[in-house]
Amino acid sequence: MTRKIPFLPLFFAALCAILAVLIFIRVREYGASEAVAADLPATTSRASIEDRNGGLVQDDRGTIVPVANDGTADATEPASSAAQSAREQRYRELLAAPPPPAAPQAPAEKPSLLQRLVSPITNAFGGGAANKPVGTPAPPPAARPPQQRAPQAQPHDPQASHGGRGNEPGNGSGSEQPEDDPTSDRTPPQIVTIEFQPPQVQDGSETILIVNAMDDKSGVRSISGSISSPSGGLQGFACQREPETNRYLARIAVPKDAAEGVWHVNYLTLSDNASNSINLSWAQGQLPSTASFKVTSSRSDSSGPTLKAVWLDRIAMRAGEKNTLFIQAEDDKAGVNLISGVFQSPSKHARVGFGCRSGSSGTWECEVSMPSCLDCGIWQLETVQLQDKANNMATVRLENQLVSAVKVDVTGAQCDNQQPVLTAVVLDKTAVSNAEPTTIAVTVQASDDLCGVSNISGQALGPPGPGGQARIFFSFSNAGDPSNWIGRLQVPRLAAKGMWSIAWIQVMDRGNNLRTYSANEPALANAKFNVQ
């Protein structure tokens, strides 16, 4: 009969053998770690890792020292050997390197009976972490008390001093934004506040428009615009600066029997001393609701005058003579205040305007004077404009039969229906400084076949800016020769730096024939100058 070996003696013998093997492995690991620690330099520890923010290092004592160009601390203790420096560099690289990505873990396996029996014993000897079965979750780390860290000097941020974040998303390139040039004014004045005081008035009284405006460099030069009534009537204004303030005031007279309702600023133009300007429109929502006031009226007139009749004293005349145009108009309440109009030449290149005065019988008389040299033929009445005493306006055009029927036949010894010709534009300076006001002499050659050149004007356009482009208007005078004209273009102090160009030049002859030359035409192709 076979004898059975008892289980317990066999189990304890196997357990002792396993414990002996584990103790031997633990002793070898401990000895290897001691050898590695002895191989590291004494002055290197985790606390002396570089602070890469600005090239600073904090050593074991919390002292901040600069970092040399090679990435090592500029400490007072020299390295003992080249090998030691290499080990230090390798140690820093290993510490600074990001941790490797975690490998995917296999599903946890159920521990066997022997593992459950041996695990408590191996954990007691400190070997549990190295000998855990694959897939066994690690226990959470023990909480450490917070450690105090020495304060570190903050490095200078060049982007912060410029108010920019060059490397943030959305900035396009990673370069810094250009610094604002204090010697170049490209921004027009800005409105701070705008209001009327009082905000409600009775017809026949007045209110004051108050515009609080500022300009960043050159200062506000002018503020002007127009007021629109509920009926569409317009009234112009120009503001005057209140001394020692940024307020600009304009007195707005509300006529007797004016249209009742809300009046508002229709257009507002602000210009600075560097010729930057901005045009704000009520219709486009560029002006706040405070740019309006209310009018109350006991006899509100919201309709413009009505044209009743128009006729000429003579339907034919010679150039250089005067003629009379008669107009009858009426207004329901306030009464007619002003009448004016325009005749157009047969070639439609020239126009002649006229103004009217009230006659004794209620008929308005308008004197029409034709130039001595002009476009001969049938001149057409183009428009008649009427305004009543409540500032309501009415413009009557060719669509009205009363206007389209009025024509005058003009004859003359010299008949000129051709526009003047601009042949050359020369600037005496192509580069100027904006440190002080500078004058550029613009010489043009212009001719006309019969009547001769009468006047020339132009406008210069600056480089694009936040509020648009600066504009400088200038006029010409004759230089003695009928074909040579000189314009004085005044470049103001702090004018926008960059390339300027002559945007347009208008030339008119003595017969009122007018032509406008734009920047894309050959005569103005090289009419440019650089402001530095």
Short mmCIF file of all heavy atoms in Angstrom, two decimals, residues 294-354:
data_model
loop_
_atom_site.label_atom_id
_atom_site.label_comp_id
_atom_site.label_asym_id
_atom_site.label_seq_id
_atom_site.Cartn_x
_atom_site.Cartn_y
_atom_site.Cartn_z
N LYS A 294 -35.55 116.93 -30.59
CA LYS A 294 -36.96 116.95 -30.94
C LYS A 294 -37.45 118.39 -31.03
O LYS A 294 -37.10 119.24 -30.22
CB LYS A 294 -37.78 116.20 -29.89
CG LYS A 294 -39.24 116.02 -30.27
CD LYS A 294 -39.97 115.15 -29.25
CE LYS A 294 -41.42 114.94 -29.66
NZ LYS A 294 -42.15 114.09 -28.70
N VAL A 295 -38.28 118.64 -32.04
CA VAL A 295 -38.85 119.96 -32.27
C VAL A 295 -40.37 119.88 -32.10
O VAL A 295 -41.01 118.98 -32.65
CB VAL A 295 -38.50 120.49 -33.68
CG1 VAL A 295 -39.25 121.79 -33.97
CG2 VAL A 295 -37.00 120.71 -33.80
N THR A 296 -40.91 120.78 -31.32
CA THR A 296 -42.36 120.93 -31.20
C THR A 296 -42.77 122.24 -31.88
O THR A 296 -42.04 123.23 -31.82
CB THR A 296 -42.80 120.94 -29.73
OG1 THR A 296 -42.13 122.01 -29.05
CG2 THR A 296 -42.44 119.62 -29.06
N SER A 297 -43.89 122.21 -32.55
CA SER A 297 -44.32 123.38 -33.32
C SER A 297 -45.83 123.48 -33.30
O SER A 297 -46.53 122.47 -33.44
CB SER A 297 -43.81 123.28 -34.76
OG SER A 297 -44.28 124.35 -35.53
N SER A 298 -46.33 124.68 -33.12
CA SER A 298 -47.78 124.89 -33.11
C SER A 298 -48.33 124.99 -34.53
O SER A 298 -49.53 124.82 -34.75
CB SER A 298 -48.11 126.18 -32.35
OG SER A 298 -47.44 127.28 -32.93
N ARG A 299 -47.45 125.24 -35.50
CA ARG A 299 -47.87 125.36 -36.90
C ARG A 299 -46.81 124.67 -37.77
O ARG A 299 -46.11 125.30 -38.54
CB ARG A 299 -48.03 126.83 -37.28
CG ARG A 299 -48.75 127.07 -38.61
CD ARG A 299 -49.06 128.55 -38.75
NE ARG A 299 -49.72 128.85 -40.03
CZ ARG A 299 -49.07 129.23 -41.13
NH1 ARG A 299 -47.76 129.37 -41.11
NH2 ARG A 299 -49.75 129.48 -42.24
N SER A 300 -46.72 123.37 -37.62
CA SER A 300 -45.65 122.59 -38.25
C SER A 300 -45.79 122.59 -39.77
O SER A 300 -46.86 122.31 -40.32
CB SER A 300 -45.68 121.15 -37.73
OG SER A 300 -44.74 120.36 -38.40
N ASP A 301 -44.65 122.87 -40.45
CA ASP A 301 -44.60 122.86 -41.91
C ASP A 301 -43.59 121.79 -42.31
O ASP A 301 -42.38 121.94 -42.09
CB ASP A 301 -44.17 124.23 -42.45
CG ASP A 301 -44.21 124.28 -43.97
OD1 ASP A 301 -44.49 123.24 -44.60
OD2 ASP A 301 -43.96 125.37 -44.52
N SER A 302 -44.05 120.72 -42.92
CA SER A 302 -43.18 119.62 -43.30
C SER A 302 -43.13 119.39 -44.80
O SER A 302 -42.60 118.38 -45.26
CB SER A 302 -43.64 118.32 -42.62
OG SER A 302 -44.98 118.02 -42.97
N SER A 303 -43.63 120.32 -45.60
CA SER A 303 -43.65 120.18 -47.06
C SER A 303 -42.84 121.29 -47.70
O SER A 303 -42.91 122.46 -47.28
CB SER A 303 -45.08 120.22 -47.60
OG SER A 303 -45.85 119.17 -47.04
N GLY A 304 -42.07 120.94 -48.72
CA GLY A 304 -41.30 121.93 -49.45
C GLY A 304 -42.16 122.72 -50.41
O GLY A 304 -43.32 122.38 -50.67
N PRO A 305 -41.60 123.80 -50.99
CA PRO A 305 -42.35 124.62 -51.94
C PRO A 305 -42.73 123.84 -53.20
O PRO A 305 -42.13 122.82 -53.53
CB PRO A 305 -41.39 125.77 -52.27
CG PRO A 305 -40.41 125.78 -51.14
CD PRO A 305 -40.27 124.36 -50.71
N THR A 306 -43.69 124.35 -53.90
CA THR A 306 -44.17 123.74 -55.15
C THR A 306 -43.89 124.69 -56.31
O THR A 306 -44.19 125.89 -56.23
CB THR A 306 -45.68 123.45 -55.06
OG1 THR A 306 -45.92 122.60 -53.94
CG2 THR A 306 -46.17 122.77 -56.33
N LEU A 307 -43.29 124.13 -57.38
CA LEU A 307 -43.00 124.93 -58.58
C LEU A 307 -44.29 125.07 -59.40
O LEU A 307 -44.93 124.07 -59.73
CB LEU A 307 -41.91 124.25 -59.40
CG LEU A 307 -41.46 124.95 -60.68
CD1 LEU A 307 -40.78 126.27 -60.36
CD2 LEU A 307 -40.52 124.05 -61.49
N LYS A 308 -44.63 126.33 -59.75
CA LYS A 308 -45.86 126.59 -60.48
C LYS A 308 -45.63 126.99 -61.93
O LYS A 308 -46.41 126.61 -62.82
CB LYS A 308 -46.66 127.69 -59.78
CG LYS A 308 -47.21 127.28 -58.43
CD LYS A 308 -48.19 126.13 -58.57
CE LYS A 308 -48.83 125.75 -57.26
NZ LYS A 308 -49.77 124.61 -57.41
N ALA A 309 -44.57 127.74 -62.20
CA ALA A 309 -44.33 128.19 -63.58
C ALA A 309 -42.87 128.60 -63.74
O ALA A 309 -42.24 129.07 -62.78
CB ALA A 309 -45.25 129.34 -63.95
N VAL A 310 -42.31 128.41 -64.97
CA VAL A 310 -40.94 128.82 -65.30
C VAL A 310 -40.93 129.31 -66.74
O VAL A 310 -41.45 128.61 -67.64
CB VAL A 310 -39.94 127.65 -65.14
CG1 VAL A 310 -38.50 128.13 -65.36
CG2 VAL A 310 -40.05 126.98 -63.79
N TRP A 311 -40.31 130.49 -67.03
CA TRP A 311 -40.17 130.96 -68.39
C TRP A 311 -38.99 131.92 -68.50
O TRP A 311 -38.53 132.47 -67.50
CB TRP A 311 -41.46 131.61 -68.87
CG TRP A 311 -41.78 132.93 -68.22
CD1 TRP A 311 -41.45 134.18 -68.69
CD2 TRP A 311 -42.50 133.14 -67.02
NE1 TRP A 311 -41.91 135.15 -67.85
CE2 TRP A 311 -42.57 134.54 -66.82
CE3 TRP A 311 -43.12 132.29 -66.08
CZ2 TRP A 311 -43.22 135.11 -65.73
CZ3 TRP A 311 -43.75 132.86 -65.00
CH2 TRP A 311 -43.80 134.25 -64.81
N LEU A 312 -38.46 132.04 -69.70
CA LEU A 312 -37.32 132.91 -69.97
C LEU A 312 -37.79 134.24 -70.57
O LEU A 312 -38.81 134.29 -71.29
CB LEU A 312 -36.36 132.25 -70.96
CG LEU A 312 -35.33 131.27 -70.38
CD1 LEU A 312 -34.72 130.43 -71.50
CD2 LEU A 312 -34.24 132.00 -69.61
N ASP A 313 -37.04 135.27 -70.29
CA ASP A 313 -37.33 136.57 -70.91
C ASP A 313 -37.08 136.50 -72.40
O ASP A 313 -37.86 137.02 -73.21
CB ASP A 313 -36.48 137.64 -70.26
CG ASP A 313 -36.75 139.03 -70.81
OD1 ASP A 313 -37.89 139.31 -71.18
OD2 ASP A 313 -35.79 139.83 -70.88
N ARG A 314 -35.95 135.83 -72.80
CA ARG A 314 -35.63 135.64 -74.21
C ARG A 314 -35.22 134.19 -74.42
O ARG A 314 -34.46 133.64 -73.64
CB ARG A 314 -34.47 136.56 -74.63
CG ARG A 314 -34.85 138.04 -74.67
CD ARG A 314 -33.63 138.89 -74.96
NE ARG A 314 -32.67 138.84 -73.86
CZ ARG A 314 -31.36 139.00 -74.02
NH1 ARG A 314 -30.85 139.14 -75.22
NH2 ARG A 314 -30.57 138.99 -72.97
N ILE A 315 -35.70 133.58 -75.49
CA ILE A 315 -35.38 132.19 -75.76
C ILE A 315 -34.12 132.05 -76.60
O ILE A 315 -33.69 130.94 -76.91
CB ILE A 315 -36.56 131.48 -76.45
CG1 ILE A 315 -36.90 132.16 -77.78
CG2 ILE A 315 -37.77 131.43 -75.53
CD1 ILE A 315 -37.93 131.41 -78.61
N ALA A 316 -33.54 133.19 -77.01
CA ALA A 316 -32.29 133.19 -77.76
C ALA A 316 -31.44 134.36 -77.26
O ALA A 316 -31.96 135.42 -76.93
CB ALA A 316 -32.52 133.30 -79.26
N MET A 317 -30.12 134.12 -77.22
CA MET A 317 -29.20 135.16 -76.73
C MET A 317 -27.81 134.89 -77.28
O MET A 317 -27.53 133.81 -77.80
CB MET A 317 -29.17 135.16 -75.19
CG MET A 317 -28.71 133.84 -74.59
SD MET A 317 -28.78 133.82 -72.79
CE MET A 317 -27.57 135.06 -72.36
N ARG A 318 -26.94 135.88 -77.16
CA ARG A 318 -25.56 135.73 -77.60
C ARG A 318 -24.67 135.49 -76.38
O ARG A 318 -25.00 135.87 -75.25
CB ARG A 318 -25.10 136.98 -78.36
CG ARG A 318 -25.72 137.07 -79.76
CD ARG A 318 -25.06 138.20 -80.54
NE ARG A 318 -23.62 138.00 -80.72
CZ ARG A 318 -23.08 137.25 -81.67
NH1 ARG A 318 -23.86 136.58 -82.53
NH2 ARG A 318 -21.78 137.15 -81.78
N ALA A 319 -23.56 134.84 -76.64
CA ALA A 319 -22.57 134.59 -75.59
C ALA A 319 -22.10 135.91 -74.99
O ALA A 319 -21.90 136.90 -75.70
CB ALA A 319 -21.38 133.82 -76.17
N GLY A 320 -21.97 135.94 -73.69
CA GLY A 320 -21.54 137.15 -72.99
C GLY A 320 -22.69 138.02 -72.54
O GLY A 320 -22.48 138.96 -71.75
N GLU A 321 -23.90 137.74 -72.99
CA GLU A 321 -25.05 138.54 -72.60
C GLU A 321 -25.72 137.96 -71.35
O GLU A 321 -25.39 136.86 -70.89
CB GLU A 321 -26.07 138.59 -73.74
CG GLU A 321 -25.60 139.35 -74.96
CD GLU A 321 -26.64 139.39 -76.06
OE1 GLU A 321 -27.65 138.64 -75.96
OE2 GLU A 321 -26.48 140.15 -77.02
N LYS A 322 -26.68 138.75 -70.82
CA LYS A 322 -27.45 138.30 -69.66
C LYS A 322 -28.90 138.11 -70.06
O LYS A 322 -29.42 138.81 -70.93
CB LYS A 322 -27.36 139.33 -68.53
CG LYS A 322 -25.95 139.51 -67.97
CD LYS A 322 -25.92 140.54 -66.85
CE LYS A 322 -24.51 140.71 -66.30
NZ LYS A 322 -24.47 141.74 -65.22
N ASN A 323 -29.52 137.15 -69.39
CA ASN A 323 -30.91 136.85 -69.65
C ASN A 323 -31.60 136.70 -68.29
O ASN A 323 -30.94 136.58 -67.25
CB ASN A 323 -31.04 135.57 -70.47
CG ASN A 323 -32.35 135.46 -71.23
OD1 ASN A 323 -33.30 136.17 -70.94
ND2 ASN A 323 -32.39 134.55 -72.21
N THR A 324 -32.95 136.71 -68.28
CA THR A 324 -33.70 136.60 -67.04
C THR A 324 -34.65 135.41 -67.12
O THR A 324 -35.40 135.26 -68.08
CB THR A 324 -34.50 137.88 -66.75
OG1 THR A 324 -33.62 138.98 -66.70
CG2 THR A 324 -35.25 137.76 -65.43
N LEU A 325 -34.57 134.60 -66.07
CA LEU A 325 -35.49 133.47 -65.94
C LEU A 325 -36.48 133.82 -64.83
O LEU A 325 -36.08 134.26 -63.74
CB LEU A 325 -34.71 132.20 -65.58
CG LEU A 325 -35.54 130.93 -65.38
CD1 LEU A 325 -36.04 130.41 -66.71
CD2 LEU A 325 -34.71 129.85 -64.67
N PHE A 326 -37.78 133.62 -65.09
CA PHE A 326 -38.82 133.91 -64.11
C PHE A 326 -39.39 132.60 -63.57
O PHE A 326 -39.66 131.66 -64.32
CB PHE A 326 -39.95 134.73 -64.76
CG PHE A 326 -39.50 136.08 -65.28
CD1 PHE A 326 -39.15 136.23 -66.61
CD2 PHE A 326 -39.43 137.17 -64.43
CE1 PHE A 326 -38.73 137.46 -67.09
CE2 PHE A 326 -39.01 138.41 -64.91
CZ PHE A 326 -38.66 138.56 -66.24
N ILE A 327 -39.59 132.58 -62.24
CA ILE A 327 -40.11 131.38 -61.57
C ILE A 327 -41.22 131.79 -60.61
O ILE A 327 -41.09 132.75 -59.85
CB ILE A 327 -38.99 130.65 -60.79
CG1 ILE A 327 -37.92 130.13 -61.76
CG2 ILE A 327 -39.56 129.50 -59.97
CD1 ILE A 327 -36.77 129.43 -61.07
N GLN A 328 -42.31 131.04 -60.68
CA GLN A 328 -43.39 131.19 -59.71
C GLN A 328 -43.47 129.91 -58.88
O GLN A 328 -43.51 128.80 -59.42
CB GLN A 328 -44.72 131.45 -60.41
CG GLN A 328 -44.83 132.82 -61.05
CD GLN A 328 -46.18 133.05 -61.71
OE1 GLN A 328 -46.95 132.11 -61.95
NE2 GLN A 328 -46.49 134.30 -62.04
N ALA A 329 -43.48 130.08 -57.55
CA ALA A 329 -43.55 128.95 -56.62
C ALA A 329 -44.34 129.36 -55.40
O ALA A 329 -44.48 130.56 -55.11
CB ALA A 329 -42.15 128.51 -56.21
N GLU A 330 -44.90 128.41 -54.70
CA GLU A 330 -45.68 128.72 -53.50
C GLU A 330 -45.40 127.67 -52.42
O GLU A 330 -44.96 126.55 -52.70
CB GLU A 330 -47.17 128.76 -53.81
CG GLU A 330 -47.77 127.45 -54.28
CD GLU A 330 -49.25 127.56 -54.59
OE1 GLU A 330 -49.75 128.67 -54.83
OE2 GLU A 330 -49.92 126.48 -54.59
N ASP A 331 -45.64 128.08 -51.18
CA ASP A 331 -45.47 127.19 -50.04
C ASP A 331 -46.69 127.33 -49.15
O ASP A 331 -47.22 128.43 -48.95
CB ASP A 331 -44.20 127.55 -49.26
CG ASP A 331 -43.89 126.54 -48.18
OD1 ASP A 331 -43.49 125.41 -48.51
OD2 ASP A 331 -44.06 126.86 -46.99
N ASP A 332 -47.17 126.22 -48.59
CA ASP A 332 -48.45 126.22 -47.89
C ASP A 332 -48.43 126.98 -46.58
O ASP A 332 -49.44 127.57 -46.18
CB ASP A 332 -48.94 124.79 -47.66
CG ASP A 332 -47.92 123.95 -46.90
OD1 ASP A 332 -46.78 124.41 -46.72
OD2 ASP A 332 -48.27 122.83 -46.48
N LYS A 333 -47.29 127.02 -45.86
CA LYS A 333 -47.27 127.64 -44.53
C LYS A 333 -46.16 128.66 -44.37
O LYS A 333 -46.41 129.85 -44.23
CB LYS A 333 -47.16 126.57 -43.45
CG LYS A 333 -48.37 125.65 -43.37
CD LYS A 333 -48.21 124.60 -42.29
CE LYS A 333 -49.42 123.67 -42.25
NZ LYS A 333 -49.25 122.60 -41.24
N ALA A 334 -44.91 128.17 -44.37
CA ALA A 334 -43.79 129.05 -44.01
C ALA A 334 -43.47 130.07 -45.09
O ALA A 334 -43.01 131.17 -44.80
CB ALA A 334 -42.54 128.20 -43.71
N GLY A 335 -43.70 129.74 -46.36
CA GLY A 335 -43.38 130.65 -47.45
C GLY A 335 -42.04 130.32 -48.09
O GLY A 335 -41.13 129.78 -47.46
N VAL A 336 -41.88 130.63 -49.38
CA VAL A 336 -40.66 130.35 -50.12
C VAL A 336 -39.54 131.25 -49.63
O VAL A 336 -39.72 132.46 -49.43
CB VAL A 336 -40.90 130.54 -51.64
CG1 VAL A 336 -39.62 130.24 -52.40
CG2 VAL A 336 -42.04 129.66 -52.11
N ASN A 337 -38.37 130.67 -49.50
CA ASN A 337 -37.22 131.43 -48.98
C ASN A 337 -36.10 131.57 -50.01
O ASN A 337 -35.54 132.65 -50.18
CB ASN A 337 -36.68 130.75 -47.72
CG ASN A 337 -35.59 131.55 -47.05
OD1 ASN A 337 -35.68 132.77 -46.99
ND2 ASN A 337 -34.57 130.87 -46.55
N LEU A 338 -35.75 130.48 -50.71
CA LEU A 338 -34.64 130.50 -51.66
C LEU A 338 -35.01 129.71 -52.92
O LEU A 338 -35.70 128.69 -52.84
CB LEU A 338 -33.37 129.89 -51.04
CG LEU A 338 -32.75 130.61 -49.85
CD1 LEU A 338 -31.63 129.76 -49.26
CD2 LEU A 338 -32.21 131.98 -50.27
N ILE A 339 -34.49 130.20 -54.08
CA ILE A 339 -34.63 129.48 -55.35
C ILE A 339 -33.31 129.61 -56.11
O ILE A 339 -32.72 130.70 -56.17
CB ILE A 339 -35.79 130.01 -56.20
CG1 ILE A 339 -37.13 129.85 -55.47
CG2 ILE A 339 -35.85 129.30 -57.55
CD1 ILE A 339 -38.32 130.39 -56.25
N SER A 340 -32.86 128.50 -56.69
CA SER A 340 -31.65 128.50 -57.52
C SER A 340 -31.81 127.43 -58.59
O SER A 340 -32.75 126.63 -58.58
CB SER A 340 -30.39 128.24 -56.68
OG SER A 340 -30.47 126.98 -56.03
N GLY A 341 -30.86 127.39 -59.57
CA GLY A 341 -30.95 126.40 -60.62
C GLY A 341 -29.69 126.31 -61.45
O GLY A 341 -28.71 127.02 -61.21
N VAL A 342 -29.71 125.43 -62.47
CA VAL A 342 -28.56 125.15 -63.31
C VAL A 342 -29.01 124.93 -64.75
O VAL A 342 -30.01 124.23 -65.00
CB VAL A 342 -27.78 123.91 -62.81
CG1 VAL A 342 -26.66 123.54 -63.78
CG2 VAL A 342 -27.22 124.13 -61.42
N PHE A 343 -28.25 125.53 -65.73
CA PHE A 343 -28.39 125.23 -67.15
C PHE A 343 -27.23 124.33 -67.57
O PHE A 343 -26.10 124.48 -67.11
CB PHE A 343 -28.36 126.52 -67.99
CG PHE A 343 -29.70 127.20 -68.10
CD1 PHE A 343 -30.07 128.20 -67.22
CD2 PHE A 343 -30.61 126.84 -69.12
CE1 PHE A 343 -31.30 128.84 -67.32
CE2 PHE A 343 -31.83 127.47 -69.22
CZ PHE A 343 -32.19 128.47 -68.32
N GLN A 344 -27.51 123.40 -68.50
CA GLN A 344 -26.50 122.49 -69.01
C GLN A 344 -26.25 122.74 -70.49
O GLN A 344 -27.17 123.01 -71.26
CB GLN A 344 -26.93 121.04 -68.79
CG GLN A 344 -25.87 120.01 -69.13
CD GLN A 344 -26.37 118.59 -68.92
OE1 GLN A 344 -27.43 118.21 -69.43
NE2 GLN A 344 -25.62 117.80 -68.15
N SER A 345 -24.95 122.64 -70.91
CA SER A 345 -24.55 122.92 -72.29
C SER A 345 -25.00 121.81 -73.22
O SER A 345 -25.33 120.70 -72.79
CB SER A 345 -23.04 123.08 -72.36
OG SER A 345 -22.40 121.84 -72.14
N PRO A 346 -24.99 122.08 -74.55
CA PRO A 346 -25.39 121.04 -75.51
C PRO A 346 -24.52 119.78 -75.44
O PRO A 346 -25.03 118.67 -75.59
CB PRO A 346 -25.24 121.74 -76.87
CG PRO A 346 -25.37 123.19 -76.56
CD PRO A 346 -24.79 123.38 -75.20
N SER A 347 -23.22 119.92 -75.22
CA SER A 347 -22.33 118.76 -75.14
C SER A 347 -22.34 118.12 -73.75
O SER A 347 -21.71 117.07 -73.57
CB SER A 347 -20.90 119.17 -75.49
OG SER A 347 -20.40 120.10 -74.53
N LYS A 348 -23.01 118.75 -72.81
CA LYS A 348 -23.11 118.29 -71.42
C LYS A 348 -21.76 118.29 -70.70
O LYS A 348 -21.58 117.63 -69.67
CB LYS A 348 -23.73 116.88 -71.34
CG LYS A 348 -25.17 116.82 -71.84
CD LYS A 348 -25.74 115.42 -71.74
CE LYS A 348 -27.22 115.38 -72.07
NZ LYS A 348 -27.55 115.99 -73.38
N HIS A 349 -20.80 119.07 -71.21
CA HIS A 349 -19.50 119.21 -70.55
C HIS A 349 -19.45 120.45 -69.66
O HIS A 349 -18.51 120.61 -68.88
CB HIS A 349 -18.37 119.31 -71.59
CG HIS A 349 -18.17 118.05 -72.37
ND1 HIS A 349 -17.61 118.03 -73.63
CD2 HIS A 349 -18.48 116.76 -72.07
CE1 HIS A 349 -17.56 116.79 -74.07
NE2 HIS A 349 -18.10 116.00 -73.14
N ALA A 350 -20.44 121.35 -69.81
CA ALA A 350 -20.42 122.62 -69.08
C ALA A 350 -21.77 122.88 -68.43
O ALA A 350 -22.82 122.43 -68.93
CB ALA A 350 -20.03 123.77 -70.01
N ARG A 351 -21.72 123.62 -67.33
CA ARG A 351 -22.93 124.04 -66.63
C ARG A 351 -22.79 125.48 -66.18
O ARG A 351 -21.68 125.93 -65.85
CB ARG A 351 -23.20 123.14 -65.42
CG ARG A 351 -23.71 121.75 -65.78
CD ARG A 351 -23.86 120.88 -64.56
NE ARG A 351 -24.54 119.62 -64.87
CZ ARG A 351 -23.93 118.55 -65.39
NH1 ARG A 351 -22.62 118.59 -65.65
NH2 ARG A 351 -24.63 117.47 -65.66
N VAL A 352 -23.93 126.18 -66.14
CA VAL A 352 -23.98 127.57 -65.67
C VAL A 352 -25.07 127.66 -64.62
O VAL A 352 -26.24 127.32 -64.89
CB VAL A 352 -24.26 128.56 -66.82
CG1 VAL A 352 -24.50 129.95 -66.26
CG2 VAL A 352 -23.09 128.58 -67.80
N GLY A 353 -24.70 128.07 -63.42
CA GLY A 353 -25.66 128.19 -62.33
C GLY A 353 -26.20 129.60 -62.18
O GLY A 353 -25.63 130.57 -62.71
N PHE A 354 -27.30 129.72 -61.45
CA PHE A 354 -27.92 131.03 -61.22
C PHE A 354 -28.63 131.02 -59.87
O PHE A 354 -29.02 129.98 -59.35
CB PHE A 354 -28.90 131.37 -62.34
CG PHE A 354 -30.01 130.38 -62.50
CD1 PHE A 354 -31.19 130.49 -61.74
CD2 PHE A 354 -29.92 129.32 -63.39
CE1 PHE A 354 -32.22 129.56 -61.88
CE2 PHE A 354 -30.94 128.40 -63.54
CZ PHE A 354 -32.09 128.52 -62.78
#
